[in-house]
Amino acid sequence: PRRFMNLNGLSVASAAEIYSLRPEDIYLVHDDLDKALGKVAIKLGGSARGHNGVRSCISALHSNEMTRLRVGIGRP
């Protein structure tokens, strides 16, 4: 996609429509400042927790039921 990270929901929603995917079929992989570097966590649904890219996906898909794989990048 040629979109800014904070607007990636438009690309995700477009791909979901093309491939007939429901929000439950989508896995979001994103960085997480609150996790230590290299730590990962998987979660189904929930809020964006301040992540603008996830917020964009929730808004574009009109759902928060995506599975999220959060990858820790730690705080500087």
Side-chain angles (χ1 to χ4, degrees), residues 41-49 66-70:
I42 194 163
K43 173 184 174 183
L44 174 62
S47 72
R49 299 185 68 214
M66 294 78 65
T67 300
R68 290 90 181 273
L69 178 62
R70 299 177 2 229

Side-chain angles (χ1 to χ4, degrees), residues 1-45:
R2 295 185 188 139
R3 302 206 187 272
F4 291 109
M5 170 63 160
N6 293 347
L7 300 176
N8 67 352
L10 301 173
S11 297
V12 172
S14 178
E17 185 176 340
I18 290 168
Y19 294 105
S20 301
L21 298 173
R22 301 170 300 164
E24 307 83 56
D25 300 326
I26 297 171
Y27 283 70
L28 297 179
V29 180
H30 64 90
D31 59 345
D32 189 339
L33 275 172
D34 295 327
K35 290 207 140 329
L37 181 64
K39 297 292 182 182
V40 296
I42 194 163
K43 173 184 174 183
L44 174 62

